[in-house]
Structure formats: structure tokens, C-alpha cells
């Protein structure tokens, strides 16, 4: 059974950095495509980054140039390096998996979700 565990959230000041990790288990190879999402209170879940089947990363405009997605296939782990954090980045961040990659990310097409990790950016 696919399991996703996010870590690395926390509280930082404006301009700070955090690195999120998503440890995936229960499958091998490229059976699933992973993506990062976030959801702020009262807001819809937003897809923010993924790495496509071609190895090319895609980002939402809201994070482009500040966030970097990467993955370690040997460890089955997905990362999200977040720099230049802003108060509007405050949200619960989720890792999710689906069969096959696509962009833009549509939350309702993802079948497996982690429990999330909270990121809070204070001014």
C-alpha cells in the first residue's frame, strides 16, 4: 500500500527557507508520480510543483523562482526547497501520488495523500 510521509515544516520569518521531504513507500520505480500541494485555511488545495515523466519540473506561478522540487529515486523521496518565504506561503503542505504525471496538478486526480506538514511564515 502506498504511503507518503511529509516532514520539514515549521515556523519561519519572511525571507526564510525550509526544505520539505516526502518519503514514499509501498511501490517501486516510476509506478506513481508525486506532486506537492498546499492548502491555506479557507482556501482550495493548490498544486504547486511536480516532476514530469520527462524529468522536467513544473511550478505554479505563485512559487516559481522561489521553490525547487527534486527527488531522490534511490530513497523514493521527494523534496521541496522553499526559499524567500512569504506570509502567503503559510499553509498545510501535502505530498500526493497518482498514476502518471500531468500538469497542471489537479488534486482530485491524486489517489494517495500524506498527512501534511504545516508551514507558517510570519512577518
Amino acid at each position: 500500500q502506498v504511503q507518503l510521509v511529509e516532514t520539514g515544516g515549521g515556523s519561519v520569518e519572511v525571507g526564510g527557507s525550509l526544505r520539505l521531504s516526502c518519503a514514499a513507500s509501498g511501490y517501486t520505480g516510476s509506478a506513481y508520480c508525486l506532486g506537492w500541494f498546499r492548502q491555506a485555511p479557507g482556501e482550495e488545495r493548490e498544486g504547486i510543483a511536480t516532476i514530469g515523466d520527462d524529468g522536467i519540473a513544473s511550478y505554479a506561478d505563485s512559487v516559481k523562482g522561489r521553490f525547487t522540487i527534486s527527488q531522490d529515486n534511490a530513497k523514493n523521496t521527494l523534496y521541496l526547497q522553499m526559499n524567500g518565504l512569504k506570509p502567503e506561503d503559510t499553509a498545510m503542505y501535502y505530498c500526493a501520488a497518482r498514476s502518471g504525471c500531468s500538469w497542471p496538478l489537479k488534486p482530485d486526480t491524486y489517489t494517495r495523500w500524506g498527512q501534511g506538514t504545516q508551514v507558517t511564515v510570519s512577518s
Side-chain angles (χ1 to χ4, degrees):
Q1 184 174 354
V2 176
Q3 288 191 323
L4 305 172
V5 179
E6 304 97 333
T7 56
S11 297
V12 296
E13 295 185 346
V14 169
S17 298
L18 285 172
R19 188 194 194 203
L20 306 184
S21 299
C22 170
S25 61
Y27 69 95
T28 57
S30 58
Y32 284 87
C33 188
L34 303 181
W36 285 105
F37 294 78
R38 67 184 182 184
Q39 189 168 22
E43 302 288 334
E44 293 187 352
R45 192 163 293 191
E46 175 189 19
I48 57 174
T50 190
I51 298 176
D53 294 324
D54 54 5
I56 296 176
S58 296
Y59 299 95
D61 288 344
S62 57
V63 305
K64 197 174 295 182
R66 299 185 298 121
F67 291 10
T68 303
I69 189 172
S70 61
Q71 61 186 25
D72 184 332
N73 292 327
K75 295 181 179 179
N76 237 14
T77 300
L78 187 72
Y79 302 99
L80 187 68
Q81 177 66 44
M82 306 187 296
N83 298 328
L85 284 163
K86 305 175 181 180
E88 51 264 44
D89 295 319
T90 295
M92 185 70 80
Y93 283 71
Y94 299 91
C95 172
R98 57 164 280 173
S99 178
C101 299
S102 69
W103 182 263
L105 301 181
K106 299 177 181 179
D108 57 1
T109 68
Y110 280 72
T111 57
R112 298 289 187 267
W113 291 85
Q115 82 289 349
T117 186
Q118 178 69 38
V119 172
T120 303
V121 185
S122 58
S123 56

